[in-house]
Amino acid sequence: MSGPQDKALLIKKPGFGDSGRGFSVKTNYFPIEKFPQVSLIHWQVSVTVKERKGAYEECKNLALAHKAVAAWAKLPGAPLSNTFYAFDGKHILYTPKPLPKDAYDGEIDVPDDSERAIDGKRSLRIDIQRVAELDMAKLVGALKGASLQVPPEVIQALNIILCHTPSQGYYTLPARRSFYAINDPSTISPLSGAVDLHVGFRMSVRPSLGKLWLNLDVANTLMYQPGPIMPILEQVAGRINPSQPLPAQSVRMIAKFLVGLKVTGVMKRTSDGSVVKRAWRVFSLSPDPVTKTTFTLDDGSKITVADYFKKVYGVTLKYPHLPCINAVKSRTDPRYIPLEIVRVEEKQLYRKTLDMNQSRKMIDITCQPPYVRSKNILSAYDRFQSPADLLSAFQMQVSRQMANVPARLLDTPILKYGPGSREQIVTPKDGAWNLRDKRLYACPTTLDRWAVIAFGDQNRTFPPPMVQNFVRAMVDTCNKTGLKISNATPQLFWEPNASRDPSTMGPAIERAYKSAPGMQLLLCLLPTPNNIAVYNAVKFACDVQFGVLSQCVLEKHVGKANAQYCANVCMKLNLKLGGVNQQLNKGLTWVAQKPTMVIGADVTHPAPGETTMPSIAAVVGSVNAFCSIFRGSLRIQEARTEKVDFLVDQVYELLQTFYKKNKMPPARIIFFRDGVSEGEFDTTAPLEINAVYQAATKCSASYKPAVTYVSCQKRHHTRFFPDAAAPVSTGRGGSAAGRGGRGGGSGGRGGYGGANGGSGGAISYPYDNIPPGTVVDQTITSPTLFDFYLCSHAGLKGTSRPVHYQVLHDDNKLTQNDLQKLAYELCYLYGKATRSVSIVTPVYYAHIVAKRARAWFSALRGDTGMSTSSNGSGDFMGKTPKLHQALNDSMWFM
């Protein structure tokens, strides 16, 4: 067993897995059939641009930098005129061969119509300096397994070469290596509220054993709709009447939309007829309309903004009741511009939270079934393709064929329900099962002290007969499924003002909470309007203030009192009350052998642009041998900090709970971590691994559990598709063909051909996606490191996204089979669903815990007006809100 370390270990791949049934899938990886075998020349580039004041400043406009270097390279005698090159638009350039000298510089004028142009052009200076030779032999050795890590600088060079051409023709987001055709209407879908969804593509080079691949996928991003401001504002705030003042709510909506945006305006001076084009950043809006907003002229006299623009530019404003934009940070010395004269510039990313309608429309557009997504990827390949002479100069060649890769279908975990079930042993089909005629595995608590609060009026929203009918349905369903409710007529409360004023909810919950000594649960019925604010207030009051379990139900479900819905609620109640809904029939792979804690951890961050929220670190850990009972721990930390800052204390809390439950500490800990990108492995993972060891030492100096740390990544661009042309190795299913792999015989829609050592012929699956249990651990995975892709859920909509699991530390010497089976089995233990989930249950629970804490902050901020510092930490750091101690020993978050 190893101990604390300064760096995450690179865990060598322990061979390949062989459990399950082999078959073949397609993936959005294109073979790079040739790549440079000799050294490339690395150049450091500096591109500066002349600004209006005459000084040269760094050019941060990637498109302009590309134009400048391309124009300079075409000049007769220029150093790049007789060679091919690849440029990243910032500071790195590669050539396939050395140039005569080690440094060059030059100047170039580029046509430009932006507000910063001088006489229709921009003047730029370019300096390049040779830095080093990039030895490509390192890559060849790494692909053969000679070293554990593929040199990142080599992969970066290949990415720059392949991205060079699309970077010149598309709007580029370099951090994501994604490209968008800004002016192509076919790639733009307007959402409501003047926000556009842009569909593009993303590309990156990925290494595997003996090969390089181009990973190509569709990409989506949100941008502000460009154009004149008035049509945009009417999309945001509704129709604007020029003759009437704006309602305060409309002003707030406009301010929320505009702050941070870049806008431009074109004016013509009345004095000399010169045209002035200016750009501004919106920092705030004026408190008064443009006809009442004044400023002081140089002679000391005051003038309104409306009168000034009439006098200097001859502009008669049509909307005198609109506010001005403030184009400087200062509120004491503002720079006001009439709102109606500006236009929103293009290429501005929308980083704010979408509303419900926008989110729904975006999902409808981006959720593409596999056959559509794969078609779009091939179309993207044709659009991005680099010229053959450029690729030839760098000795590169990329195939147009998507790769076929060997996959395996893991055995479906078998579940067990409680005594008295008509079907106690259950084998899920296609990742799903149901509760019909089943009793929950363990229901140790009888519910007798509970109350119902309806947050709405008794006449329209929640009539007493409707509420009583729902309560009867819930009691009946719970008793049938094994959760005993001895009090079938709980006390009912109504709070009619909740939607209008969530601050009334605290006293209402307090009344219900105190209505019975030792209150176990409050069932809260939420109205349709403003239910998010009501939900947040309920959870804050119950979780933080009073320490009572709560279950929320929306109005639409109360009226229907559907038996299936009631069963789903029953599952949540049982978990909160200490029960177990289902567990594996024979125990978890590997975990059942000796005392083991399975931990899930995640850090959730504020939404882009959010300045009043901290980051929330959530850690949950199993406390029983079947990984069906978990406890959670929360900490608040600096906004947008990925490392779990208080992990020592959080793991210590979980270890103490495990010991209290089992009278012994776990001999092994497996730590599943979500949210850490590959670029953060070396900075975040070592600190967190050390924190786990420190937590163990805090329990006892002699306590040294074996720790395995596994990264779980969903934010990647690897996708798998049914292989419609896969050969069938034996028997059933005929040959697969057609959309989604339609096959003859019993293969049907979604039939997959057996291949690559498969043992059972075609695999039948009723959807267009790959089936749950699909695992890929070779061909496109790391050439040397311990990683695999697992699709554990049924993809009912869109294209399934597998989770990429990578082991960064392993005292337990797990095999591929053990970890793959364990991860897949954990996905069937998500307690409040009768369906396997897409990521291991401990990580899913960590998401839920963090989301609940964010609801507390929303309620606290909304009810008290509490503000924080601009970094999103402020008064929240390490302080309230905190879970009430009465709930510590429960799964309150379910």
Side-chain angles (χ1 to χ4, degrees):
M1 181 193 313
S2 61
Q5 55 187 51
D6 295 324
K7 187 177 181 181
L9 295 178
L10 296 174
I11 305 301
K12 189 172 183 179
K13 191 188 296 287
F16 302 110
D18 58 9
S19 61
R21 183 174 168 190
F23 66 110
S24 175
V25 295
K26 281 188 176 294
T27 183
N28 57 333
Y29 280 55
F30 296 80
I32 298 178
E33 297 174 337
K34 289 176 58 179
F35 56 88
Q37 304 291 310
V38 296
S39 296
L40 301 178
I41 310 303
H42 176 192
W43 299 81
Q44 181 74 17
V45 181
S46 171
V47 181
T48 54
V49 58
K50 186 177 182 180
E51 298 297 344
R52 286 185 172 275
K53 294 181 179 179
Y56 279 81
E57 299 179 3
E58 179 185 356
C59 179
K60 296 182 179 180
N61 184 323
L62 301 187
L64 182 61
H66 270 292
K67 286 181 183 178
V69 172
W72 184 52
K74 292 178 182 177
L75 294 177
L80 299 178
S81 60
N82 294 316
T83 187
F84 288 95
Y85 70 91
F87 178 41
D88 72 345
K90 293 185 287 186
H91 302 295
I92 300 175
L93 184 145
Y94 289 99
T95 57
K97 297 179 181 179
L99 300 181
K101 295 194 298 184
D102 289 343
Y104 297 90
D105 62 73
E107 297 187 2
I108 193 75
D109 288 340
V110 176
D112 188 68
D113 62 354
S114 73
E115 73 285 350
R116 293 191 173 187
I118 302 173
D119 298 327
K121 63 183 180 182
R122 304 295 299 278
S123 298
L124 299 100
R125 288 177 179 168
I126 302 167
D127 295 271
I128 65 171
Q129 186 164 352
R130 178 170 166 163
V131 175
E133 286 192 23
L134 192 61
D135 185 5
M136 299 302 291
K138 294 180 180 178
L139 174 61
V140 176
L143 296 180
K144 292 179 179 179
S147 61
L148 281 179
Q149 194 167 27
V150 177
E153 66 275 11
V154 174
I155 299 299
Q156 179 192 47
L158 297 178
N159 275 318
I160 290 173
I161 293 169
L162 290 174
C163 291
H164 174 75
T165 298
S167 294
Q168 293 178 301
Y170 293 86
Y171 173 61
T172 307
L173 296 177
R176 308 178 195 171
R177 287 190 291 275
S178 53
F179 308 90
Y180 300 91
I182 292 295
N183 299 315
D184 182 355
S186 67
T187 67
I188 303 172
S189 297
L191 307 181
S192 59
V195 178
D196 287 342
L197 172 68
H198 289 253
V199 179
F201 59 92
R202 182 194 184 278
M203 54 194 291
S204 64
V205 174
R206 305 288 298 180
S208 70
L209 187 61
K211 288 190 73 69
L212 281 177
W213 304 91
L214 176 65
N215 176 214
L216 182 62
D217 194 19
V218 295
N220 305 288
T221 197
L222 298 170
M223 297 188 197
Y224 287 91
Q225 192 176 105
I229 193 67
M230 293 312 301
I232 289 175
L233 294 187
E234 292 197 329
Q235 290 187 60
V236 173
R239 184 177 180 275
I240 297 175
N241 190 328
S243 62
Q244 294 181 359
L246 276 180
Q249 175 68 11
S250 296
V251 174
R252 285 194 294 268
M253 294 170 69
I254 290 171
K256 181 180 178 182
F257 179 84
L258 287 179
V259 169
L261 263 181
K262 179 183 176 183
V263 296
T264 57
V266 179
M267 292 91 59
K268 187 175 183 180
R269 297 184 192 273
T270 57
S271 58
D272 59 9
S274 60
V275 175
V276 179
K277 186 172 185 179
R278 291 285 184 266
W280 305 282
R281 183 75 62 182
V282 181
F283 288 96
S284 61
L285 298 185
S286 64
D288 299 313
V290 64
T291 51
K292 295 182 179 180
T293 300
T294 62
F295 66 98
T296 305
L297 297 173
D298 293 339
D299 61 5
S301 62
K302 285 194 172 183
I303 188 172
T304 67
V305 174
D307 289 342
Y308 177 83
F309 272 76
K310 172 68 174 176
K311 177 180 178 181
V312 177
Y313 299 110
V315 175
T316 300
L317 299 177
K318 299 177 182 178
Y319 294 85
H321 298 289
L322 282 181
C324 303
I325 64 168
N326 180 12
V328 293
K329 290 184 179 180
S330 173
R331 291 180 181 270
T332 57
D333 186 22
R335 183 183 179 188
Y336 287 132
I337 310 296
L339 184 52
E340 70 177 77
I341 73 165
V342 305
R343 62 178 286 119
V344 176
E345 285 296 280
E346 65 178 10
K347 303 177 184 178
Q348 297 191 76
L349 297 181
Y350 185 84
R351 302 182 185 275
K352 299 171 184 176
T353 304
L354 295 177
D355 63 32
M356 191 175 298
N357 290 331
Q358 290 171 326
S359 297
R360 187 181 299 114
K361 189 169 183 180
M362 179 176 173
I363 291 171
D364 288 341
I365 296 169
T366 58
C367 259
Q368 301 171 337
Y371 63 92
V372 173
R373 193 182 189 107
S374 60
K375 178 182 176 182
N376 290 339
I377 289 170
L378 289 172
S379 175
Y381 178 97
D382 295 332
R383 293 200 306 272
F384 95 88
Q385 183 69 306
S386 298
D389 52 359
L390 173 67
L391 292 181
S392 177
F394 282 100
Q395 302 178 34
M396 294 196 72
Q397 183 176 326
V398 183
S399 169
R400 192 184 181 278
Q401 296 298 317
M402 279 191 190
N404 285 71
V405 298
R408 286 174 292 112
L409 187 67
L410 301 180
D411 293 340
T412 301
I414 299 175
L415 304 176
K416 187 175 184 179
Y417 276 84
S421 300
R422 184 175 179 181
E423 183 185 14
Q424 189 174 5
I425 307 301
V426 178
T427 302
K429 183 178 180 181
D430 303 327
W433 63 101
N434 61 62
L435 270 181
R436 191 177 302 116
D437 298 326
K438 298 179 183 66
R439 295 177 68 84
L440 301 179
Y441 183 82
C443 305
T445 303
T446 297
L447 184 59
D448 55 6
R449 299 180 304 280
W450 62 302
V452 179
I453 314 177
F455 291 103
D457 65 83
Q458 298 187 44
N459 296 322
R460 292 177 301 174
T461 314
F462 292 113
M466 182 175 80
V467 174
Q468 292 162 356
N469 181 59
F470 179 75
V471 169
R472 282 193 298 271
M474 277 300 311
V475 170
D476 182 58
T477 301
C478 288
N479 284 322
K480 285 181 179 178
T481 54
L483 176 58
K484 187 176 180 181
I485 299 181
S486 60
N487 176 13
T489 56
Q491 191 168 352
L492 307 180
F493 298 84
W494 277 264
E495 175 46 64
N497 297 317
S499 292
R500 296 187 295 273
D501 184 8
S503 66
T504 63
M505 299 178 62
I509 289 173
E510 184 174 14
R511 288 193 299 273
Y513 171 67
K514 293 181 176 179
S515 65
M519 180 67 70
Q520 295 170 281
L521 176 83
L522 295 180
L523 185 65
C524 303
L525 312 183
L526 308 188
T528 298
N530 205 26
N531 62 68
I532 295 177
V534 176
Y535 174 89
N536 294 340
V538 166
K539 293 304 180 182
F540 178 79
C542 294
D543 297 345
V544 177
Q545 294 178 301
F546 302 111
V548 61
L549 296 171
S550 59
Q551 178 62 50
C552 293
V553 177
L554 289 177
E555 174 190 349
K556 62 180 180 181
H557 298 302
V558 176
K560 295 177 182 178
N562 177 271
Q564 182 176 347
Y565 177 80
C566 291
N568 289 338
V569 174
C570 175
M571 293 168 65
K572 298 177 185 180
L573 297 181
N574 189 46
L575 293 170
K576 291 174 181 178
L577 293 167
V580 175
N581 292 340
Q582 81 273 5
Q583 64 184 36
L584 295 175
N585 186 39
K586 295 183 178 180
L588 277 165
T589 297
W590 184 79
V591 169
Q593 298 168 4
K594 62 173 66 174
T596 303
M597 174 180 278
V598 181
I599 291 177
D602 186 34
V603 179
T604 65
H605 304 293
E610 173 62 72
T611 61
T612 62
M613 282 281 189
S615 287
I616 298 171
V619 184
V620 303
S622 62
V623 294
N624 70 335
F626 290 95
C627 287
S628 52
I629 300 177
F630 286 81
R631 294 294 178 260
S633 176
L634 276 167
R635 289 294 187 279
I636 308 309
Q637 61 187 46
E638 194 76 18
R640 298 178 178 85
T641 301
E642 184 55 48
K643 179 180 74 69
V644 182
D645 286 343
F646 304 100
L647 188 59
V648 174
D649 295 335
Q650 292 181 270
V651 174
Y652 175 75
E653 290 174 9
L654 297 176
L655 290 173
Q656 292 291 97
T657 303
F658 189 100
Y659 185 87
K660 182 179 177 182
K661 293 274 184 189
N662 300 283
K663 309 306 179 187
M664 65 179 70
R668 306 182 299 193
I669 296 173
I670 183 163
F671 192 104
F672 288 101
R673 176 65 156 93
D674 187 28
V676 179
S677 66
E678 291 180 359
E680 295 169 319
F681 282 173
D682 285 342
T683 56
T684 297
L687 298 174
E688 294 185 350
I689 294 166
N690 283 343
V692 176
Y693 286 120
Q694 291 170 28
T697 302
K698 189 175 179 179
C699 294
S700 170
S702 61
Y703 174 45
K704 298 185 183 301
V707 177
T708 296
Y709 183 103
V710 184
S711 166
C712 316
Q713 294 174 292
K714 291 194 73 175
R715 294 180 181 177
H716 60 79
H717 287 267
T718 299
R719 299 293 185 271
F720 299 116
F721 308 99
D723 180 11
V728 178
S729 58
T730 60
R732 305 193 315 269
S735 60
R739 192 186 83 177
R742 297 179 184 271
S746 64
R749 181 178 175 182
Y752 295 78
N756 305 289
S759 60
I763 293 174
S764 177
Y765 183 57
Y767 306 108
D768 284 335
N769 270 298
I770 56 175
T774 298
V775 65
V776 173
D777 64 6
Q778 54 184 294
T779 306
I780 62 166
T781 55
S782 169
T784 51
L785 303 181
F786 188 172
D787 71 327
F788 60 89
Y789 292 92
L790 172 63
C791 179
S792 55
H793 66 296
L796 305 182
K797 188 175 183 180
T799 301
S800 294
R801 175 167 52 184
V803 174
H804 186 203
Y805 294 91
Q806 181 160 335
V807 180
L808 303 181
H809 182 83
D810 187 24
D811 294 334
N812 292 293
K813 309 302 180 188
L814 287 164
T815 66
Q816 288 271 20
N817 281 343
D818 283 344
L819 185 56
Q820 290 168 12
K821 290 175 66 178
L822 172 62
Y824 189 41
E825 288 170 353
L826 284 170
C827 294
Y828 280 77
L829 294 179
Y830 182 67
K832 58 180 183 178
T834 54
R835 183 176 292 279
S836 61
V837 291
S838 62
I839 198 166
V840 290
T841 290
V843 166
Y844 212 131
Y845 285 170
H847 291 328
I848 295 173
V849 170
K851 185 178 180 181
R852 178 70 66 83
R854 197 159 297 287
W856 300 344
F857 281 106
S858 296
L860 188 64
R861 183 177 56 176
D863 291 346
T864 67
M866 188 177 186
S867 62
T868 63
S869 64
S870 61
N871 66 3
S873 55
D875 297 333
F876 289 151
M877 277 298 297
K879 299 182 181 179
T880 54
K882 185 179 180 181
L883 180 70
H884 196 287
Q885 63 180 6
L887 298 180
N888 282 337
D889 194 29
S890 70
M891 291 180 67
W892 53 271
F893 48 87
M894 298 305 291

